[in-house]
Amino acid sequence: MLVWRGFVSSEKTSLHTMQQVTNKSEKITSFEFARVIALLAVISIHGQLFMDYGYIGEEPWLNFITNQAARFAVPLFFVIAGYLIYPKLNATPYTTAKNYSTPLMIIWFIWSLICLALPFNLGVVAEHGYLAERTGYWGYLMQAPLNSLFEGGLVHLWFIPSLVIAVFMIAWFVDNKCRSLMIPFAVIFYIYGLAAGSYNVLTEVETPIFTRNGPFFSFLMVAIGFEARRHEWTMSAGKALLLAAAGMALHFAEAYYLHGHGQVFHLNDFLLGTSIWLRDCCFSYSLNRT
């Protein structure tokens, strides 16, 4: 329960900060509704819905499907963040990035300390003592110290430093007046993240951190939101939904293919189709309903 409260508190702080860097008059109702849907989707992922139902053979396919269907959630938060932060980040890149990121990182740091100190397994505490329980968890984090640095004291906090890194990377491109190179570089990061992430079962590409963390996933998503606001991209609702359905179908096709090669179906945080699915369903469609 404490872990989930930490996640919700961090998300509320993130959304509050996004609103601070935009004018109240620019509030987009459909984005607010999308955030609620996305938060419910995140709950469904962490709640591991239907793990005991819908088995085909010995695999919980109902959980597999609902889990992957909810994978639009965190990317949506990133895209909305990029869209909302655009005006100030484009005008004063580093100042805005600093002001935006500081409260987020304070929350991340505080909750990391809490999660490092607070025991999760009270049974072990009762039987072996506090230090025995915590030492085991600290040892687990130190098995991959660089990865733990990108996550903090608990894996659920990963999205905060990822968002902050993406914002500062965009600030660099804006400050150096090479905005046109931002999406191409973000795609390179994304593809590398895929190769060393879900597609590792095929590519055997290795990386010292889990590629959902850091900039591999977040950079492209935040950049999409930023560039869409900058270029005022629009699309009809019908076309957006059609392309979103194609992106979702590609995501599921990839997940099924990779599942046959050892990447368990529900463990994919992002795939090639995810960016198409998210962009067209959760962004372009929202813009047409402002």
Side-chain angles (χ1 to χ4, degrees), residues 47-240:
Q48 298 185 16
L49 295 181
F50 308 119
M51 282 296 291
D52 298 323
Y53 304 95
Y55 272 68
I56 297 178
E58 298 181 354
E59 296 179 314
W61 276 96
L62 184 56
N63 170 265
F64 286 176
I65 293 172
T66 55
N67 176 285
Q68 290 299 287
R71 290 295 175 175
F72 72 90
V74 175
L76 173 62
F77 286 127
F78 286 149
V79 172
I80 291 177
Y83 182 86
L84 295 180
I85 201 176
Y86 162 76
K88 288 191 174 181
L89 188 61
N90 191 58
T92 54
Y94 284 121
T95 299
T96 299
K98 179 182 176 181
N99 293 338
Y100 181 88
S101 302
T102 298
L104 292 176
M105 292 308 296
I106 290 174
I107 288 294
W108 174 82
F109 181 73
I110 292 173
W111 274 106
S112 290
L113 291 180
I114 291 173
C115 294
L116 287 172
L118 191 68
F120 301 150
N121 193 326
L122 297 181
V124 174
V125 173
E127 185 175 355
H128 301 288
Y130 171 81
L131 283 179
E133 195 275 346
R134 286 290 80 195
T135 301
Y137 182 64
W138 297 335
Y140 166 74
L141 293 179
M142 289 308 296
Q143 291 177 7
L146 184 59
N147 191 67
S148 297
L149 180 64
F150 279 88
E151 292 181 346
L154 189 70
V155 63
H156 299 77
L157 301 173
W158 69 270
F159 76 95
I160 297 179
S162 292
L163 174 59
V164 167
I165 291 170
V167 168
F168 271 98
M169 291 178 73
I170 292 173
W172 185 90
F173 279 91
V174 173
D175 187 62
N176 286 277
K177 297 178 173 54
C178 51
R179 296 173 183 82
S180 62
L181 297 177
M182 185 164 53
I183 290 292
F185 272 89
V187 169
I188 291 172
F189 273 87
Y190 193 85
I191 292 175
Y192 177 77
L194 284 174
S198 292
Y199 277 84
N200 172 262
V201 293
L202 301 178
T203 65
E204 298 183 354
V205 173
E206 299 293 340
T207 182
I209 70 170
F210 183 31
T211 56
R212 178 196 60 185
N213 304 329
F216 304 103
F217 174 35
S218 62
F219 184 24
L220 177 61
M221 297 303 169
V222 179
I224 287 174
F226 181 93
E227 285 292 87
R229 181 78 174 268
R230 184 166 77 95
H231 294 290
E232 299 183 352
W233 292 341
T234 58
M235 184 182 298
S236 67
K239 184 177 180 180

Side-chain angles (χ1 to χ4, degrees), residues 4 7 11 15 18 31 34-46 66-81 158-159 217 221 251 269 274 277-278 282:
W4 176 246
F7 176 81
E11 184 58 45
L15 298 182
M18 293 175 196
F31 276 2
R35 282 170 171 164
V36 175
I37 299 301
L39 187 58
L40 293 175
V42 170
I43 293 173
S44 73
I45 293 173
H46 289 286
T66 55
N67 176 285
Q68 290 299 287
R71 290 295 175 175
F72 72 90
V74 175
L76 173 62
F77 286 127
F78 286 149
V79 172
I80 291 177
W158 69 270
F159 76 95
F217 174 35
M221 297 303 169
H251 177 102
D269 289 295
T274 313
W277 172 19
L278 171 77
C282 301

